[in-house]
Amino acid sequence: MAEFAWILVVGVTATLVMDLWALGARHLLGLVPLDYALVGRWVLAMPAGRFVHDGIAKAPARRGERQVGWLLHYAIGVAFAALLLAAAGREWARAPSPGAALAFGVATVAAPFLVLQPALGLGMAASRAPRPAVARAKSVASHLVFGGGLYLGAVLARPLLP
């Protein structure tokens, strides 16, 4: 139970930090964040056998797609926190250091590069995005910030592990 609570706190904290970064980057730098409704649209198309799209924005909107997308976004953050705990171990979780969390955060960029972006029609590592280098830089920066959030969450959740 203590591990589950730790994972939940760390995953939600890291994802929230990532979202706050995206909000700040939008207002300060004019960078448009991912619309999680499109992620929900992708997931909701799966039961019909549609896993890859030429352009997810052109696919028909689906009822509840925004909620599904945001729920999946936070669920993935929690899943990544569980993987971090499995990879770094309880000893690291009891005395977290930023290096492991930041490295793990950057490693999680493989998920959008290899799964999400191709499935949404953007190609491997956003190769078909209008500005691939900008899209890649945004992804790497966001996942580095996510790593910082993992560290912050681990510091906050440290008392949860005996």
Side-chain angles (χ1 to χ4, degrees):
M1 188 63 162
E3 284 182 350
F4 178 75
W6 186 94
I7 290 166
L8 193 60
V9 168
V10 173
V12 169
T13 300
T15 307
L16 182 60
V17 166
M18 183 183 198
D19 291 339
L20 291 173
W21 158 259
L23 186 63
R26 177 180 205 144
H27 290 293
L28 298 174
L29 305 173
L31 299 176
V32 179
L34 174 62
D35 180 356
Y36 289 104
L38 298 177
V39 175
R41 187 175 300 174
W42 170 57
V43 169
L44 291 171
M46 288 179 182
R50 189 77 193 258
F51 298 94
V52 178
H53 298 262
D54 292 329
I56 192 68
K58 295 181 230 166
R62 302 205 176 238
R63 185 175 176 183
E65 65 185 26
R66 185 165 313 282
Q67 294 84 352
V68 169
W70 278 97
L71 180 63
L72 183 63
H73 173 55
Y74 274 81
I76 290 169
V78 170
F80 280 149
L83 288 174
L84 173 62
L85 181 60
R90 283 179 74 105
E91 289 308 310
W92 178 85
R94 287 188 188 108
S97 61
L102 292 170
F104 187 85
V106 170
T108 64
V109 82
F113 279 3
L114 302 175
V115 178
L116 185 63
Q117 291 166 352
L120 299 184
L122 295 170
M124 189 84 59
S127 62
R128 287 194 267 157
R131 298 185 318 176
V134 171
R136 290 177 190 128
K138 282 173 41 179
S139 292
V140 170
S142 294
H143 285 259
L144 181 62
V145 169
F146 178 73
L150 288 169
Y151 173 67
L152 175 62
V155 169
L156 295 173
R158 186 174 32 200
L160 298 173
L161 289 180

